[in-house]
Amino acid sequence: MVIASEHMVQRDLHYAIIDEVDSILIDEARTPLIISGEGDKPTNLYYQIAKFIPRLVNEEDYKVDEKAHLVTLTEEGVRKVEKYFKIGNLSENMELAHHVNQGLKAHGLMKRDRDYVVREGQVIIVDEFTGRLMFGRRYSDGLHQAIEAKEGVKIEKESQTLATVTFQNYFRMYNKLAGMTGTARTEEEEFRKIYGMDVVVVPTHMPMVRQDLPDLIYRSEIGKFQAAVEDIGERYRQGQPVLVGTISIEKSELLSAMLRKRGIPHQVLNAKYHEKEAQIIAGAGEKNTVTIATNMAGRGTDIVLGEGVQELGGLYVLGTERHESRRIDNQLRGRSGRQGDPGESRFYVSLEDDLMRLFGASTIEGVMDRLGMDDSIPIENKMVTRGLENAQRKVESRNFSIRKNVLEYDDVINQQREVMYGERKKVLYGENLKDTISSMIDDVIDEVVNSYAGEIRYSDDWDLPGLLAYVEQHVLPQIDFTIDELKGMTRSDMKDFLQERTHRLYEEREAELGSETMRELERAIMLRIIDDKWMDHIDAMDQLRNGISLRAYGQRDPLVEYKFEAFNAFEAMVYSIKEDVVRYILRVRVVQQPQERKTFINQGDEETKGKPVRVGKKIGRNQPCPCGSGKKYKHCCGRGVS
């Protein structure tokens, strides 16, 4: 993405060794890596929608599908939107429909202190797998702005995607790839299929003696938490250190409040108190210590046991909810029983937990009803625990499908990405562009003549006025021939005639500017145009990707359709790059950069030094760019100039 080769910071990709490899290559791989810049869309609409959304009623005006992570308006909801915003048909106003959809997601799916926190007037994403704050990262496609409007903080400008790649395709660029983690066995198939990596299990240094107790399953969430607090209180009285795992900041604070009521001293470790992490973890293995933590205490955290703790049974890990991935549960369990130490682990689960509610509560609820069990009585049964693990397998399988789907679509763009960045690199590293520009001139003239000639053999019946107007607008700035001179030419003659005139002008421009300036000019123009067109192409492919699944209703494979459309869009983009490069090269005026000079104002006998005066008229950001592109200065050569 840089505009000079000396600014390149990444060397060739030879060998990567990844710590916590399953976290990076599996968990993170559901969303692509996006590098974005500031867009220029207005933000008022987000505030309007944030005020409007609370007027809508769940189930009546919109439906929330937590499994698919979707919110959709009902017909009644659509009518309310149209009435509130005074429009005739929402489906014809795509921008408003998109903003309403993101507003509904922000209100219906994104939960404060679970998905994000608000700190110092900023919305900061919480990593669902590690529980840590992800500074500098933002949700794309206007979702982050919708959350900012919902929380009443300042809305940052919407971003524009400059470059994008999936984790899978990024890491597959390495010639060799390896990694380490304690929990890769359950994802062995995905490692092999996607990355071509085998999973090798290294035996533990000391035998594992930790006791993993069966899950306790309660009907309600409050019943589960009350039982967990009882268990924690009992362990605390015995002096055994307890690590309590929660899946969100919200739940960790709820449990903390319940423990405070019972007078049980404890520490809370979540993304809000991450600066105390080292201090909290250092003391988490001491006697009479209770630590409530989100997934922050899961990966790579070594809790050292205090004196006399081994005799009490080691660290007791209590999970208050099953995570959708078995690996995350195993990471939490793995904080106890390290290096042959004793330890215990147990999960408390309720039928109101997200995993159970969405993927497997109905059968267990039936069993509880038949047995007449209330909130305070748990089920401790291997069959139920197996049912829970089956629910997790379902989610893991679904997440694998999502990652595979993301990758299949990105593979299409990846081939185009390799071509574009390959060409860009040639320009960046100073390849002589004269032959490339000459070839572009020939291609543009070929395409122009073919499009205006159609199937007709001789030029007398072509749309010559249209051809002439196009050539004057896009190729030759000043033409010195008439329609009459073009009549009677064959297709081949016409191409030769126009190519000869264009190449002649190109040579004249080089003689006028000098070869060195011309090459520099070509490099700058090509980099700018390639970047602009590629960004527009990424946006267009994003829009296509969002709607392509509807083709399935017409009995067509969305992926095949996407490949076909993407190929056509890429061909059109490549021609558009050639067309713009030729137009700019033959038209752009080279303006000397304004110089600063010092002036001296004579006042009587004293010579007083004046302020530096900038020579040359200042160009307004919204004025036409002096390079002749027809764009505003701020969108062309003035990009980045304030």
Side-chain angles (χ1 to χ4, degrees):
M1 292 172 65
V2 294
I3 55 170
S5 56
E6 58 270 22
H7 296 153
M8 290 275 278
V9 292
Q10 199 165 43
R11 62 181 189 182
D12 290 340
L13 307 178
H14 295 297
Y15 200 149
I17 302 176
I18 305 168
D19 191 20
E20 303 294 359
V21 65
D22 57 327
S23 173
I24 303 297
L25 298 189
I26 306 290
D27 296 335
E28 296 270 4
R30 265 159 62 188
T31 47
L33 282 164
I34 297 172
I35 298 175
S36 52
E38 206 175 75
D40 54 2
K41 288 186 181 174
T43 55
N44 289 343
L45 192 53
Y46 289 110
Y47 286 124
Q48 286 176 273
I49 286 166
K51 277 184 194 167
F52 167 68
I53 297 288
R55 301 180 181 201
L56 299 177
V57 181
N58 191 3
E59 290 302 318
E60 185 185 311
D61 299 320
Y62 63 90
K63 292 187 184 298
V64 179
D65 182 346
E66 290 181 80
K67 263 191 194 180
H69 206 69
L70 285 174
V71 188
T72 48
L73 280 169
T74 62
E75 285 186 26
E76 182 58 32
V78 169
R79 272 196 292 277
K80 284 187 181 175
V81 172
E82 289 168 347
K83 186 179 174 187
Y84 183 83
F85 290 98
K86 298 181 175 67
I87 58 167
N89 190 338
L90 181 62
S91 61
E92 288 173 8
N93 192 325
M94 294 306 288
E95 188 181 1
L96 179 62
H98 172 73
H99 276 72
V100 169
N101 191 41
Q102 296 300 64
L104 283 168
K105 261 192 184 178
H107 285 76
L109 285 172
M110 310 307 290
K111 299 278 193 302
R112 184 169 177 166
D113 289 344
R114 185 191 72 184
D115 302 299
Y116 64 90
V117 297
V118 178
R119 176 181 285 190
E120 293 169 9
Q122 284 188 309
V123 171
I124 302 165
I125 299 172
V126 176
D127 187 331
E128 65 173 307
F129 299 107
T130 65
R132 297 176 189 280
L133 295 180
M134 299 166 84
F135 294 99
R137 288 209 195 173
R138 294 175 66 80
Y139 294 115
S140 62
D141 216 18
L143 179 57
H144 209 98
Q145 285 77 7
I147 296 170
E148 286 168 334
K150 166 191 164 186
E151 295 295 344
V153 301
K154 185 193 170 200
I155 296 178
E156 300 296 331
K157 277 194 175 174
E158 210 170 309
S159 55
Q160 181 187 11
T161 301
L162 307 180
T164 173
V165 65
T166 56
F167 273 73
Q168 294 101 320
N169 273 326
Y170 177 72
F171 281 105
R172 291 197 306 193
M173 289 183 202
Y174 283 91
N175 296 331
K176 288 185 183 292
L177 189 59
M180 294 156 289
T181 178
T183 49
R185 196 59 189 264
T186 53
E187 312 299 336
E188 188 169 7
E189 182 191 4
E190 187 164 348
F191 277 117
R192 190 172 286 123
K193 275 185 180 171
I194 305 292
Y195 302 100
M197 297 165 74
D198 287 322
V199 174
V200 177
V201 178
V202 180
T204 55
H205 177 220
M206 306 283 282
M208 169 68 74
V209 295
R210 182 187 69 234
Q211 274 187 290
D212 294 329
L213 304 171
D215 298 350
L216 292 177
I217 301 174
Y218 291 79
R219 179 186 284 278
S220 72
E221 188 175 63
I222 195 66
K224 171 188 77 173
F225 277 127
Q226 284 168 348
V229 167
E230 287 292 335
D231 194 0
I232 293 165
E234 184 58 39
R235 304 276 176 168
Y236 174 72
R237 283 189 286 278
Q238 292 170 14
Q240 187 176 10
V242 183
L243 174 66
V244 185
T246 61
I247 69 160
S248 69
I249 297 168
E250 183 187 20
K251 297 285 165 62
S252 68
E253 292 181 341
L254 168 68
L255 197 59
S256 172
M258 292 176 78
L259 288 176
R260 268 201 308 277
K261 273 187 186 170
R262 298 287 295 271
I264 300 170
H266 60 279
Q267 297 266 31
V268 178
L269 173 60
N270 60 37
K272 287 185 174 179
Y273 311 108
H274 67 100
E275 61 280 348
K276 297 181 185 171
E277 181 179 358
Q279 176 193 337
I280 292 170
I281 291 299
E286 300 293 331
K287 274 185 181 178
N288 296 102
T289 305
V290 176
T291 309
I292 302 173
T294 56
N295 294 344
M296 283 177 73
R299 275 191 186 276
T301 306
D302 196 11
I303 296 172
V304 180
L305 299 184
E307 201 174 319
V309 169
Q310 289 211 2
E311 291 73 38
L312 295 169
L315 178 68
Y316 177 51
V317 170
L318 186 153
T320 59
E321 198 164 327
R322 285 282 203 156
H323 197 275
E324 62 179 36
S325 166
R326 284 171 294 164
R327 287 177 296 104
I328 307 293
D329 291 342
N330 291 341
Q331 289 284 357
L332 179 63
R333 274 200 170 114
R335 299 316 95 205
S336 173
R338 295 166 79 81
Q339 295 292 334
D341 286 341
E344 280 180 87
S345 75
R346 167 165 261 158
F347 279 88
Y348 280 71
V349 181
S350 87
L351 300 184
E352 292 176 355
D353 294 348
D354 288 347
L355 180 74
M356 297 299 289
R357 196 164 45 79
L358 298 175
F359 292 97
S362 53
T363 50
I364 301 168
E365 196 163 16
V367 172
M368 286 186 146
D369 283 340
R370 282 197 298 277
L371 296 174
M373 298 168 78
D374 63 22
D375 284 0
S376 61
I377 305 170
I379 289 183
E380 182 182 343
N381 184 293
K382 283 186 178 170
M383 184 187 82
V384 175
T385 303
R386 272 202 303 276
L388 251 174
E389 286 179 355
N390 285 337
Q392 287 177 308
R393 280 196 193 93
K394 272 190 212 169
V395 184
E396 284 167 8
S397 164
R398 185 172 148 276
N399 289 343
F400 177 38
S401 299
I402 292 170
R403 290 190 291 268
K404 198 157 168 278
N405 198 39
V406 166
L407 182 61
E408 281 172 342
Y409 280 91
D410 191 64
D411 279 342
V412 178
I413 294 292
N414 198 46
Q415 293 168 352
Q416 300 177 359
R417 189 186 292 121
E418 285 169 5
V419 171
M420 291 303 295
Y421 286 129
E423 290 303 311
R424 198 183 188 285
K425 212 173 243 188
K426 288 179 192 171
V427 177
L428 202 61
Y429 283 103
E431 184 183 86
N432 191 328
L433 296 174
K434 187 164 185 176
D435 291 344
T436 307
I437 303 289
S438 295
S439 163
M440 284 182 171
I441 288 170
D442 292 343
D443 290 348
V444 169
I445 299 292
D446 265 3
E447 184 63 34
V448 170
V449 173
N450 287 340
S451 64
Y452 280 92
E455 298 298 316
I456 305 163
R457 187 168 179 189
Y458 290 101
S459 59
D460 297 36
D461 298 318
W462 298 351
D463 176 12
L464 287 177
L467 173 63
L468 203 62
Y470 183 93
V471 168
E472 191 171 11
Q473 193 179 349
H474 293 275
V475 187
L476 295 165
Q478 294 171 327
I479 55 174
D480 56 356
F481 50 87
T482 64
I483 290 178
D484 290 338
E485 289 176 64
L486 302 178
K487 283 181 179 173
M489 287 189 185
T490 63
R491 194 184 301 250
S492 176
D493 293 339
M494 183 73 76
K495 287 178 182 176
D496 291 344
F497 175 77
L498 291 175
Q499 282 168 356
E500 188 272 325
R501 293 296 175 104
T502 312
H503 282 296
R504 191 200 304 165
L505 176 60
Y506 178 50
E507 295 296 340
E508 285 169 6
R509 295 227 66 194
E510 183 166 344
E512 176 195 334
L513 297 171
S515 292
E516 194 178 326
T517 306
M518 192 67 173
R519 295 295 86 80
E520 191 59 35
L521 185 66
E522 288 165 354
R523 196 177 72 83
I525 286 173
M526 278 192 76
L527 287 176
R528 169 60 57 81
I529 290 171
I530 285 172
D531 288 350
D532 281 354
K533 298 289 182 187
W534 180 242
M535 284 189 281
D536 290 345
H537 182 68
I538 291 171
D539 270 354
M541 290 298 97
D542 251 1
Q543 299 299 328
L544 177 64
R545 167 90 175 78
N546 288 338
I548 201 79
S549 57
L550 297 174
R551 305 276 177 100
Y553 289 115
Q555 306 301 310
R556 287 144 110 185
D557 183 335
L559 183 58
V560 172
E561 292 285 304
Y562 181 76
K563 287 178 180 177
F564 179 72
E565 298 266 4
F567 176 76
N568 288 341
F570 186 70
E571 292 274 283
M573 179 194 64
V574 169
Y575 176 71
S576 177
I577 289 172
K578 291 175 182 176
E579 188 180 56
D580 278 12
V581 167
V582 170
R583 184 167 83 247
Y584 279 79
I585 289 290
L586 299 178
R587 276 174 167 67
V588 75
R589 288 185 296 116
V590 179
V591 181
Q592 202 67 32
Q593 284 282 13
Q595 299 291 318
E596 285 190 351
R597 73 175 182 201
K598 292 173 185 171
T599 62
F600 296 88
I601 302 165
N602 206 357
Q603 292 182 341
D605 293 330
E606 276 182 37
E607 205 173 52
T608 312
K609 193 175 182 183
K611 289 182 181 176
V613 177
R614 200 176 282 276
V615 176
K617 187 182 172 191
K618 187 169 188 238
I619 303 154
R621 295 182 75 245
N622 290 309
Q623 288 178 348
C625 190
C627 74
S629 66
K631 293 184 179 180
K632 288 182 181 178
Y633 180 61
K634 68 180 179 184
H635 292 315
C636 193
C637 300
R639 196 175 279 186
V641 177
S642 59

